[in-house]
Amino acid sequence: MVTSAALYHLMWMINITIDIRNVCVFLAPFFSSLTTIVTYLLTKELKDSAAGLVAAAMIAIVPGYISRSVAGSYDNEGIAIFCMLLTYYMWIKAVKTGKIFWSALAALAYFYMVSSWGGYVFLINLIPMHVFTLMVTGRFGARVYVAYCTLYCLGTILAMQISFVGFQPVQSSEHMLALGVFGLCQLHCFVDYLRGHLSASDFQVLFKATIVATGTILAVITGILTITGKVSPWTGRFYSLLDPSYAKNHIPIIASVSEHQPTSWSSFYFDLQLLVFLFPAGLYFCFRQLTDANIFLILYGVTSIYFAGVMVRLMLVLAPVMCILGGIAMSGMLNRYMKDVDASPVILGMPAGNLAQGKQGDKRSKHKQESNFVMKSEIATLFVAIMCFFLISYTMHCTWVTSEAYSSPSIVLSARSHDNSRIIFDDFREAYYWLRMNTPEDARVMSWWDYGYQITAMANRTILVDNNTWNNTHISRVGQAMASSEDKAYAIMRELDVNYVLVIFGGLTGYSSDDINKFLWMVRIGGSTDRGAHIKEWDYYTPQGEFRVDKEGSPTLLNCLMYKMCYYRFGQVYTEGGRPPGYDRVRGAEIGNKDFELDVLEEAYTSEHWLVRIYKVKDLPNRGL
Amino acid sequence: MRTIWAVAFATCLAIFLVCFTTPAQAQQKRREGLTLSEKVQQLTEMSAKRSILRFNGHKFKDFVRSTPRNYSMIVMFTALASQRQCVICRHAHDEFVIVANSFRYSQHHSNKMFFAMVDFDEGPDVFTSLNMNTAPVFMHFPAKGKPKHSDTMDIQRVGFAAESIAKWITERTDISIRVFRPPNYSGTVAVAMLFAFVAGFLYLKRNNLDFLYNKTLWAFAAIVFTLAMTSGQMWNHIRGPPFVHKTQSGGVAYIHGSSQGQLVLETYIIIILNAAILLGMILVTEAASQKGDVRKRRILAIVGMAIFTVFFSLVLSIFRNKAHGYPYSFLFK
């Protein structure tokens, strides 16, 4: 948000009058272009400029990144990836040169990253892990020491300026690795200093004693701090990444978000296509030529692929490193073969990357070329042609995926009818506009949290819960209201002071992201707090354990508020040819509870294709009637 | 002398008669049914062996229905056979076992209450005599009198968790049971074994730790990990899909029909295909950089390229089968 405001004021200062809404809408693509540039710079540091160009070209169209940076998706990740890659670029520069200038810049970039996304925890654990690996493999030196110390001190102080982070860097377990490695750096350098000044045997004794003493002290201190609670354990969001089944069993609200689901192999292929195969090849290339920077890349790649496997949303963090490693692999392979494509025996103008061969190699390869050059250049040409073909197929795949899956507005739906003409479902906007025009200004609307932002923005009415609600108990109360019978739900609705209730119903059109399909999550979340202890998931299944809405369905389900709101008057509607009235096209069944009346609600509005249904909560009845 | 002989003869005769008549009396008693103390003794013996007794129709009549009784019976009517397809019977059975075990080891343990179960396949007559056609059902048969309406546990309302069963039992019999769920040690055992394995391995190799510095080992480990992750092993771990599943036409499907799900065998196939593609690329690279026999390098390059192309087309065709509407394909459809 600060970025948008800054850009807005900057534009106005140079007299380009652009509306703030347009700034917000186009912020994400603008930062994606900046990401492309940073990827080029980063890969150039890691390998060479040829690899950089390939990587930048790949990240420009990779669907995994595009899906979260579409124009109009105004979320943290749009700028967070740019900040992350910028920090990495500065860090690699700092490690390679050992200058305080670059580490200070890295600390500033880190500060920008912390202020934009909670995923900075990944960064502050990856960089210490990198330093630790360098120590273990014996590559630790003055450069890395200077780089890390500057980055850690400046970066932590800057990060603590953000009110959301506060004192966490010295208190929570997520930041302890950075602190530990910082201490270890100091020890390592001190030990190196001593080694230069002591004799060998004295040094061995001192070394062993120090290691044992430090290890014991550290263990004792950490133990005391954890037991007394000064160092808080890992919070739920990040713990669920380490232990993937934790969220499913203990925190249903985290497990219910569809982006937090694990990733199947077809999602990997869908978002990354060719890169999935180039990624291990890139790792192979990195291992052939281990440098300090390559080790960082390997660590980044392996950790991000684990996290992307656990949560679909983190595919976003994986996409840049996939492009970088893919670029390295592709340019490495092409480099070896391109020089053979040119079939002339005179070897002039060798590519710049061919530094390994000396003069001797030139002569030998000239001979080889003269004797066998026909076949060699054929093979090389064939290889280059195949690679070109795969790159073209990557481009076509990315374009197709982006246009089909990630380009549709989510508020206006469309479908193709049997004669291939398009039908537009504009029900959402229609219903929200009705709410805006036909309800009192201070009306309160209850719906599930997915629609909170939409109702606030388009209908301009107060809602109970939206995507940003952190109050688990509140969302659970709404879930209890939806899952209880009418009487109990009425008590809850009066307590929450609700005037209107809104549900999304897809049974008439076949829209499968409707509230009945989300209903089990409402039940789980509703039953997860104390006041919802009477709501049990098993009650809503048949005795055989199935979730059914027809006659065989569980009576608790057939009489709960959500069911009644979705299927009110639906029993008389003919939906498909050859089916009885009241046939639900999403669940594929005729509904069980058809002719009922609503006691505590009255129907206020149903949109054209029954997608959005709005009910008014009846007032308390007059006494004595 | 003669009187002594007479008395002895009379005593022998009396004893003789008593011996002969008593068995007849005992047989009569057996026809009537076991005595109360015998029932209690048999039940106690059986529950010492296992906490839930399995009854067929005959035993059910003997122990649960027949009078006299001074104990109550908690009976679960279930259908555990796999062709009955009663998923929650299995869950209910596990919870029931926990309650029975908690009772057995609790301080209120007595021989005033016993736990039993009747499976539909072993005692269908019991089900018909009680007019039951659903499962599972928990019923309490009190010591005196017939079971009332609230002696059938209302699973629809309170569920069948062990705590609910215990609460219902307390309501009906005034015997309170503290439910004790045995802690799950399998995780701890697995971690401990892994630790022991790693420690032993390091100890054996303590003289020569150079293998840790071997670049190729780490490269191999990283690549194997990557291949495992990209084929969706995490998804398998969290969602637990079946290995293969049967299609409606009776065949066996190796590949899940839509791109929303996957089967375990499918992920293994994908790992093999990915590894093959990677192998192709490595062969091609090695062929270009090695300084060796030209012919060998040429063949290596061609083989590498062929493997790469063929397996990539295979992956493309599998993906095309799953994601309906995907328009591209290469060598195979």
Side-chain angles (χ1 to χ4, degrees), chain A residues 318-345:
Chain A
L318 179 66
V321 72
M322 276 259 177
C323 293
I324 295 176
L325 279 171
I328 291 179
M330 186 60 85
S331 83
M333 285 196 283
L334 280 178
N335 241 353
R336 287 177 206 286
Y337 278 91
M338 280 300 255
K339 57 184 183 283
D340 294 330
V341 172
D342 189 7
S344 81

PDB file of all heavy atoms in Angstrom, chain A residues 318-345:
ATOM      1  N   LEU A 318       8.440 -20.798  -5.786  1.00  0.00           N
ATOM      2  CA  LEU A 318       9.240 -21.755  -6.545  1.00  0.00           C
ATOM      3  C   LEU A 318       9.498 -21.263  -7.960  1.00  0.00           C
ATOM      4  O   LEU A 318      10.545 -21.547  -8.537  1.00  0.00           O
ATOM      5  CB  LEU A 318       8.483 -23.090  -6.587  1.00  0.00           C
ATOM      6  CG  LEU A 318       9.132 -24.215  -7.350  1.00  0.00           C
ATOM      7  CD1 LEU A 318      10.393 -24.635  -6.681  1.00  0.00           C
ATOM      8  CD2 LEU A 318       8.184 -25.369  -7.443  1.00  0.00           C
ATOM      9  N   ALA A 319       8.549 -20.501  -8.534  1.00  0.00           N
ATOM     10  CA  ALA A 319       8.655 -20.135  -9.951  1.00  0.00           C
ATOM     11  C   ALA A 319       9.957 -19.416 -10.298  1.00  0.00           C
ATOM     12  O   ALA A 319      10.604 -19.777 -11.280  1.00  0.00           O
ATOM     13  CB  ALA A 319       7.442 -19.305 -10.362  1.00  0.00           C
ATOM     14  N   PRO A 320      10.416 -18.404  -9.519  1.00  0.00           N
ATOM     15  CA  PRO A 320      11.663 -17.742  -9.919  1.00  0.00           C
ATOM     16  C   PRO A 320      12.866 -18.679  -9.930  1.00  0.00           C
ATOM     17  O   PRO A 320      13.660 -18.663 -10.868  1.00  0.00           O
ATOM     18  CB  PRO A 320      11.854 -16.648  -8.862  1.00  0.00           C
ATOM     19  CG  PRO A 320      10.544 -16.434  -8.275  1.00  0.00           C
ATOM     20  CD  PRO A 320       9.828 -17.726  -8.349  1.00  0.00           C
ATOM     21  N   VAL A 321      12.987 -19.522  -8.885  1.00  0.00           N
ATOM     22  CA  VAL A 321      14.177 -20.360  -8.848  1.00  0.00           C
ATOM     23  C   VAL A 321      14.117 -21.422  -9.930  1.00  0.00           C
ATOM     24  O   VAL A 321      15.144 -21.815 -10.496  1.00  0.00           O
ATOM     25  CB  VAL A 321      14.391 -20.978  -7.453  1.00  0.00           C
ATOM     26  CG1 VAL A 321      13.388 -22.041  -7.166  1.00  0.00           C
ATOM     27  CG2 VAL A 321      15.761 -21.533  -7.330  1.00  0.00           C
ATOM     28  N   MET A 322      12.891 -21.861 -10.294  1.00  0.00           N
ATOM     29  CA  MET A 322      12.767 -22.789 -11.406  1.00  0.00           C
ATOM     30  C   MET A 322      13.281 -22.137 -12.683  1.00  0.00           C
ATOM     31  O   MET A 322      14.004 -22.755 -13.467  1.00  0.00           O
ATOM     32  CB  MET A 322      11.296 -23.161 -11.615  1.00  0.00           C
ATOM     33  CG  MET A 322      10.808 -24.251 -10.740  1.00  0.00           C
ATOM     34  SD  MET A 322      10.760 -25.758 -11.671  1.00  0.00           S
ATOM     35  CE  MET A 322      10.242 -26.896 -10.448  1.00  0.00           C
ATOM     36  N   CYS A 323      12.913 -20.851 -12.876  1.00  0.00           N
ATOM     37  CA  CYS A 323      13.349 -20.168 -14.100  1.00  0.00           C
ATOM     38  C   CYS A 323      14.858 -19.993 -14.097  1.00  0.00           C
ATOM     39  O   CYS A 323      15.508 -20.173 -15.133  1.00  0.00           O
ATOM     40  CB  CYS A 323      12.677 -18.813 -14.209  1.00  0.00           C
ATOM     41  SG  CYS A 323      10.924 -18.946 -14.466  1.00  0.00           S
ATOM     42  N   ILE A 324      15.419 -19.653 -12.940  1.00  0.00           N
ATOM     43  CA  ILE A 324      16.860 -19.429 -12.889  1.00  0.00           C
ATOM     44  C   ILE A 324      17.608 -20.717 -13.204  1.00  0.00           C
ATOM     45  O   ILE A 324      18.501 -20.754 -14.066  1.00  0.00           O
ATOM     46  CB  ILE A 324      17.283 -18.889 -11.509  1.00  0.00           C
ATOM     47  CG1 ILE A 324      16.688 -17.511 -11.286  1.00  0.00           C
ATOM     48  CG2 ILE A 324      18.776 -18.845 -11.377  1.00  0.00           C
ATOM     49  CD1 ILE A 324      16.964 -16.947  -9.926  1.00  0.00           C
ATOM     50  N   LEU A 325      17.223 -21.794 -12.516  1.00  0.00           N
ATOM     51  CA  LEU A 325      17.915 -23.056 -12.761  1.00  0.00           C
ATOM     52  C   LEU A 325      17.656 -23.576 -14.162  1.00  0.00           C
ATOM     53  O   LEU A 325      18.547 -24.123 -14.812  1.00  0.00           O
ATOM     54  CB  LEU A 325      17.484 -24.102 -11.721  1.00  0.00           C
ATOM     55  CG  LEU A 325      18.216 -23.966 -10.404  1.00  0.00           C
ATOM     56  CD1 LEU A 325      17.614 -24.859  -9.363  1.00  0.00           C
ATOM     57  CD2 LEU A 325      19.665 -24.318 -10.584  1.00  0.00           C
ATOM     58  N   GLY A 326      16.433 -23.360 -14.654  1.00  0.00           N
ATOM     59  CA  GLY A 326      16.124 -23.772 -16.018  1.00  0.00           C
ATOM     60  C   GLY A 326      16.964 -23.006 -17.017  1.00  0.00           C
ATOM     61  O   GLY A 326      17.474 -23.564 -17.986  1.00  0.00           O
ATOM     62  N   GLY A 327      17.127 -21.690 -16.738  1.00  0.00           N
ATOM     63  CA  GLY A 327      17.952 -20.880 -17.628  1.00  0.00           C
ATOM     64  C   GLY A 327      19.390 -21.364 -17.643  1.00  0.00           C
ATOM     65  O   GLY A 327      20.026 -21.456 -18.705  1.00  0.00           O
ATOM     66  N   ILE A 328      19.899 -21.701 -16.438  1.00  0.00           N
ATOM     67  CA  ILE A 328      21.273 -22.188 -16.366  1.00  0.00           C
ATOM     68  C   ILE A 328      21.433 -23.481 -17.153  1.00  0.00           C
ATOM     69  O   ILE A 328      22.377 -23.648 -17.942  1.00  0.00           O
ATOM     70  CB  ILE A 328      21.692 -22.380 -14.895  1.00  0.00           C
ATOM     71  CG1 ILE A 328      21.803 -21.035 -14.215  1.00  0.00           C
ATOM     72  CG2 ILE A 328      22.968 -23.162 -14.795  1.00  0.00           C
ATOM     73  CD1 ILE A 328      22.189 -21.128 -12.771  1.00  0.00           C
ATOM     74  N   ALA A 329      20.472 -24.394 -16.967  1.00  0.00           N
ATOM     75  CA  ALA A 329      20.564 -25.683 -17.672  1.00  0.00           C
ATOM     76  C   ALA A 329      20.493 -25.492 -19.176  1.00  0.00           C
ATOM     77  O   ALA A 329      21.311 -26.030 -19.934  1.00  0.00           O
ATOM     78  CB  ALA A 329      19.435 -26.598 -17.209  1.00  0.00           C
ATOM     79  N   MET A 330      19.500 -24.717 -19.600  1.00  0.00           N
ATOM     80  CA  MET A 330      19.276 -24.542 -21.034  1.00  0.00           C
ATOM     81  C   MET A 330      20.477 -23.880 -21.684  1.00  0.00           C
ATOM     82  O   MET A 330      20.971 -24.329 -22.728  1.00  0.00           O
ATOM     83  CB  MET A 330      18.021 -23.671 -21.231  1.00  0.00           C
ATOM     84  CG  MET A 330      17.590 -23.516 -22.645  1.00  0.00           C
ATOM     85  SD  MET A 330      17.198 -25.048 -23.435  1.00  0.00           S
ATOM     86  CE  MET A 330      15.541 -25.307 -22.974  1.00  0.00           C
ATOM     87  N   SER A 331      20.992 -22.817 -21.062  1.00  0.00           N
ATOM     88  CA  SER A 331      22.114 -22.129 -21.700  1.00  0.00           C
ATOM     89  C   SER A 331      23.366 -22.991 -21.627  1.00  0.00           C
ATOM     90  O   SER A 331      24.196 -22.960 -22.537  1.00  0.00           O
ATOM     91  CB  SER A 331      22.345 -20.771 -21.051  1.00  0.00           C
ATOM     92  OG  SER A 331      23.117 -20.912 -19.912  1.00  0.00           O
ATOM     93  N   GLY A 332      23.502 -23.789 -20.553  1.00  0.00           N
ATOM     94  CA  GLY A 332      24.648 -24.679 -20.480  1.00  0.00           C
ATOM     95  C   GLY A 332      24.658 -25.681 -21.607  1.00  0.00           C
ATOM     96  O   GLY A 332      25.672 -25.915 -22.273  1.00  0.00           O
ATOM     97  N   MET A 333      23.475 -26.280 -21.848  1.00  0.00           N
ATOM     98  CA  MET A 333      23.411 -27.297 -22.901  1.00  0.00           C
ATOM     99  C   MET A 333      23.601 -26.683 -24.267  1.00  0.00           C
ATOM    100  O   MET A 333      24.335 -27.202 -25.108  1.00  0.00           O
ATOM    101  CB  MET A 333      22.055 -28.008 -22.833  1.00  0.00           C
ATOM    102  CG  MET A 333      21.969 -28.983 -21.690  1.00  0.00           C
ATOM    103  SD  MET A 333      20.625 -30.123 -21.853  1.00  0.00           S
ATOM    104  CE  MET A 333      19.262 -29.121 -21.398  1.00  0.00           C
ATOM    105  N   LEU A 334      22.938 -25.541 -24.490  1.00  0.00           N
ATOM    106  CA  LEU A 334      23.038 -24.922 -25.801  1.00  0.00           C
ATOM    107  C   LEU A 334      24.462 -24.444 -26.070  1.00  0.00           C
ATOM    108  O   LEU A 334      24.957 -24.538 -27.194  1.00  0.00           O
ATOM    109  CB  LEU A 334      22.068 -23.743 -25.907  1.00  0.00           C
ATOM    110  CG  LEU A 334      20.625 -24.127 -26.191  1.00  0.00           C
ATOM    111  CD1 LEU A 334      19.752 -22.903 -26.229  1.00  0.00           C
ATOM    112  CD2 LEU A 334      20.525 -24.885 -27.494  1.00  0.00           C
ATOM    113  N   ASN A 335      25.119 -23.951 -25.017  1.00  0.00           N
ATOM    114  CA  ASN A 335      26.495 -23.479 -25.160  1.00  0.00           C
ATOM    115  C   ASN A 335      27.393 -24.546 -25.751  1.00  0.00           C
ATOM    116  O   ASN A 335      28.243 -24.270 -26.589  1.00  0.00           O
ATOM    117  CB  ASN A 335      27.035 -23.097 -23.770  1.00  0.00           C
ATOM    118  CG  ASN A 335      27.399 -21.648 -23.715  1.00  0.00           C
ATOM    119  OD1 ASN A 335      27.373 -20.966 -24.729  1.00  0.00           O
ATOM    120  ND2 ASN A 335      27.739 -21.185 -22.539  1.00  0.00           N
ATOM    121  N   ARG A 336      27.210 -25.801 -25.245  1.00  0.00           N
ATOM    122  CA  ARG A 336      28.103 -26.847 -25.699  1.00  0.00           C
ATOM    123  C   ARG A 336      27.886 -27.183 -27.156  1.00  0.00           C
ATOM    124  O   ARG A 336      28.798 -27.618 -27.843  1.00  0.00           O
ATOM    125  CB  ARG A 336      27.892 -28.101 -24.868  1.00  0.00           C
ATOM    126  CG  ARG A 336      28.441 -27.963 -23.494  1.00  0.00           C
ATOM    127  CD  ARG A 336      28.136 -29.212 -22.692  1.00  0.00           C
ATOM    128  NE  ARG A 336      28.091 -28.901 -21.283  1.00  0.00           N
ATOM    129  CZ  ARG A 336      29.149 -28.656 -20.537  1.00  0.00           C
ATOM    130  NH1 ARG A 336      30.343 -28.713 -21.068  1.00  0.00           N
ATOM    131  NH2 ARG A 336      29.036 -28.348 -19.270  1.00  0.00           N
ATOM    132  N   TYR A 337      26.651 -27.012 -27.614  1.00  0.00           N
ATOM    133  CA  TYR A 337      26.371 -27.489 -28.962  1.00  0.00           C
ATOM    134  C   TYR A 337      26.375 -26.404 -30.013  1.00  0.00           C
ATOM    135  O   TYR A 337      26.535 -26.679 -31.189  1.00  0.00           O
ATOM    136  CB  TYR A 337      25.017 -28.217 -28.986  1.00  0.00           C
ATOM    137  CG  TYR A 337      25.125 -29.632 -28.526  1.00  0.00           C
ATOM    138  CD1 TYR A 337      24.958 -29.960 -27.191  1.00  0.00           C
ATOM    139  CD2 TYR A 337      25.459 -30.640 -29.407  1.00  0.00           C
ATOM    140  CE1 TYR A 337      25.100 -31.258 -26.770  1.00  0.00           C
ATOM    141  CE2 TYR A 337      25.590 -31.941 -28.993  1.00  0.00           C
ATOM    142  CZ  TYR A 337      25.423 -32.241 -27.670  1.00  0.00           C
ATOM    143  OH  TYR A 337      25.562 -33.519 -27.247  1.00  0.00           O
ATOM    144  N   MET A 338      26.167 -25.175 -29.611  1.00  0.00           N
ATOM    145  CA  MET A 338      26.059 -24.118 -30.611  1.00  0.00           C
ATOM    146  C   MET A 338      27.344 -23.961 -31.395  1.00  0.00           C
ATOM    147  O   MET A 338      27.323 -23.666 -32.581  1.00  0.00           O
ATOM    148  CB  MET A 338      25.727 -22.770 -29.939  1.00  0.00           C
ATOM    149  CG  MET A 338      24.279 -22.626 -29.613  1.00  0.00           C
ATOM    150  SD  MET A 338      23.256 -22.715 -31.074  1.00  0.00           S
ATOM    151  CE  MET A 338      22.835 -21.035 -31.280  1.00  0.00           C
ATOM    152  N   LYS A 339      28.483 -24.160 -30.717  1.00  0.00           N
ATOM    153  CA  LYS A 339      29.731 -23.910 -31.437  1.00  0.00           C
ATOM    154  C   LYS A 339      29.988 -24.967 -32.506  1.00  0.00           C
ATOM    155  O   LYS A 339      30.803 -24.778 -33.384  1.00  0.00           O
ATOM    156  CB  LYS A 339      30.898 -23.845 -30.472  1.00  0.00           C
ATOM    157  CG  LYS A 339      31.077 -25.085 -29.625  1.00  0.00           C
ATOM    158  CD  LYS A 339      32.209 -24.843 -28.646  1.00  0.00           C
ATOM    159  CE  LYS A 339      32.487 -26.061 -27.823  1.00  0.00           C
ATOM    160  NZ  LYS A 339      31.501 -26.253 -26.749  1.00  0.00           N
ATOM    161  N   ASP A 340      29.257 -26.118 -32.397  1.00  0.00           N
ATOM    162  CA  ASP A 340      29.446 -27.140 -33.415  1.00  0.00           C
ATOM    163  C   ASP A 340      28.496 -26.970 -34.586  1.00  0.00           C
ATOM    164  O   ASP A 340      28.616 -27.653 -35.586  1.00  0.00           O
ATOM    165  CB  ASP A 340      29.223 -28.532 -32.809  1.00  0.00           C
ATOM    166  CG  ASP A 340      30.293 -28.842 -31.794  1.00  0.00           C
ATOM    167  OD1 ASP A 340      31.406 -28.330 -31.961  1.00  0.00           O
ATOM    168  OD2 ASP A 340      29.989 -29.592 -30.839  1.00  0.00           O
ATOM    169  N   VAL A 341      27.540 -26.085 -34.422  1.00  0.00           N
ATOM    170  CA  VAL A 341      26.571 -25.944 -35.506  1.00  0.00           C
ATOM    171  C   VAL A 341      27.211 -25.304 -36.715  1.00  0.00           C
ATOM    172  O   VAL A 341      26.961 -25.662 -37.859  1.00  0.00           O
ATOM    173  CB  VAL A 341      25.374 -25.076 -35.040  1.00  0.00           C
ATOM    174  CG1 VAL A 341      24.455 -24.750 -36.193  1.00  0.00           C
ATOM    175  CG2 VAL A 341      24.620 -25.803 -33.960  1.00  0.00           C
ATOM    176  N   ASP A 342      28.096 -24.366 -36.412  1.00  0.00           N
ATOM    177  CA  ASP A 342      28.797 -23.689 -37.503  1.00  0.00           C
ATOM    178  C   ASP A 342      29.774 -24.657 -38.125  1.00  0.00           C
ATOM    179  O   ASP A 342      30.769 -25.034 -37.526  1.00  0.00           O
ATOM    180  CB  ASP A 342      29.521 -22.473 -36.921  1.00  0.00           C
ATOM    181  CG  ASP A 342      30.083 -21.610 -38.018  1.00  0.00           C
ATOM    182  OD1 ASP A 342      29.792 -21.883 -39.194  1.00  0.00           O
ATOM    183  OD2 ASP A 342      30.815 -20.672 -37.680  1.00  0.00           O
ATOM    184  N   ALA A 343      29.558 -25.083 -39.388  1.00  0.00           N
ATOM    185  CA  ALA A 343      30.303 -26.210 -39.947  1.00  0.00           C
ATOM    186  C   ALA A 343      31.622 -25.810 -40.589  1.00  0.00           C
ATOM    187  O   ALA A 343      32.333 -26.653 -41.119  1.00  0.00           O
ATOM    188  CB  ALA A 343      29.432 -26.918 -40.980  1.00  0.00           C
ATOM    189  N   SER A 344      31.972 -24.517 -40.551  1.00  0.00           N
ATOM    190  CA  SER A 344      33.213 -24.153 -41.256  1.00  0.00           C
ATOM    191  C   SER A 344      34.404 -24.594 -40.441  1.00  0.00           C
ATOM    192  O   SER A 344      34.423 -24.452 -39.238  1.00  0.00           O
ATOM    193  CB  SER A 344      33.260 -22.653 -41.480  1.00  0.00           C
ATOM    194  OG  SER A 344      33.710 -22.027 -40.304  1.00  0.00           O
ATOM    195  N   PRO A 345      35.462 -25.118 -41.078  1.00  0.00           N
ATOM    196  CA  PRO A 345      36.612 -25.626 -40.344  1.00  0.00           C
ATOM    197  C   PRO A 345      37.442 -24.519 -39.718  1.00  0.00           C
ATOM    198  O   PRO A 345      38.209 -24.762 -38.811  1.00  0.00           O
ATOM    199  CB  PRO A 345      37.414 -26.385 -41.385  1.00  0.00           C
ATOM    200  CG  PRO A 345      36.956 -25.821 -42.697  1.00  0.00           C
ATOM    201  CD  PRO A 345      35.569 -25.363 -42.518  1.00  0.00           C
TER     202      PRO A 345
END
